[in-house]
Amino acid sequence: MLIRQAEEKLTLLAFTNTSAELLVKGMYFPSVFLPSDKIKDSEIARAAIHNSSCVICFGQKPQIKNKICLELIAKNQNEIIDTNFEIDSFKKALEEHKLPYSESRNPGTSYCNLVYWNSLNYIKEKNLDCKFLFIHIPFLENINNLSELQEKLNIIIKEYFCHLQNPRD
């Protein structure tokens, strides 16, 4: 049986000094910023997991332009953990709002993957009922309109979170 979080809450995480930080600072949801410290990042993510029913973590990826990248898995050597996020309904919302996206099974090899792996593994080990997704966004110079991206993501995330709280609506 899953342990239900005490309070329904969405939290956004983003790495400091990146385009992800700029994106999240312009969004309407509670946000926590990761200092790009391999130990502290995971500790901060764990605290967010305990205080949230849904966490979306943002990082930046140099190879993408004017779209977001949904990371479907986290890796630790030969082990893989799939996201526990309801990805199909999220992708549908992205499509409805015409927000370009790609899907990835390669979350990187450093900070992004490490915080993703540690978070999903923690949720799994502790049998917690917190949804967790990692989204890569482009470097700032590869985003044509940051305000438009913020606006669309605000709407999409709000709709998704409302759907989580009221799945029959």
Side-chain angles (χ1 to χ4, degrees), residues 5 12 56 70 82 95 98 102 130:
Q5 301 298 319
L12 303 181
I56 302 175
L70 308 176
D82 292 308
E95 291 163 4
K98 297 178 176 41
S102 62
C130 177

Side-chain angles (χ1 to χ4, degrees), residues 113-138:
N113 181 62
L114 184 65
V115 76
Y116 200 20
W117 169 266
N118 286 340
S119 298
L120 289 174
N121 192 51
Y122 183 74
I123 290 167
K124 182 179 168 185
E125 284 181 351
K126 300 294 183 186
N127 204 28
L128 300 172
D129 188 22
C130 177
K131 304 295 181 199
F132 198 101
L133 177 65
F134 197 100
I135 298 176
H136 274 117
I137 68 166

Side-chain angles (χ1 to χ4, degrees), residues 5 7-11 30 48 51-55 130 161 165:
Q5 301 298 319
E7 182 178 309
E8 291 287 288
K9 185 178 169 195
L10 169 71
T11 303
N51 294 319
S52 307
S53 57
C54 183
V55 176
C130 177
F161 191 60
Q165 292 178 312

Side-chain angles (χ1 to χ4, degrees), residues 8 10 17 37 48 70 79 85 108 114 117 128 140 143-144 167:
E8 291 287 288
L10 169 71
N17 300 314
D37 175 292
L70 308 176
E79 290 184 73
F85 207 77
L114 184 65
W117 169 266
L128 300 172
L140 190 57
I143 300 172
N144 281 345

Side-chain angles (χ1 to χ4, degrees), residues 25-79:
K25 280 186 174 177
M27 297 182 69
Y28 305 138
F29 306 98
S31 304
V32 179
F33 298 97
L34 305 174
S36 296
D37 175 292
K38 290 187 177 186
I39 295 171
K40 289 180 183 174
D41 292 344
S42 293
E43 291 171 351
I44 292 167
R46 279 194 296 272
I49 289 165
H50 274 287
N51 294 319
S52 307
S53 57
C54 183
V55 176
I56 302 175
C57 187
F58 291 90
Q60 66 181 13
K61 193 173 200 172
Q63 301 92 341
I64 57 177
K65 184 173 183 169
N66 293 320
K67 67 179 177 179
I68 64 171
C69 184
L70 308 176
E71 298 298 344
L72 304 179
I73 65 166
K75 296 179 183 179
N76 183 11
Q77 296 177 339
N78 292 330
E79 290 184 73

Side-chain angles (χ1 to χ4, degrees), residues 87-104:
I87 203 78
D88 289 335
S89 60
F90 194 72
K91 290 188 315 189
K92 184 178 176 187
L94 292 170
E95 291 163 4
E96 287 172 0
H97 292 280
K98 297 178 176 41
L99 181 56
Y101 71 92
S102 62
E103 297 176 44
S104 169

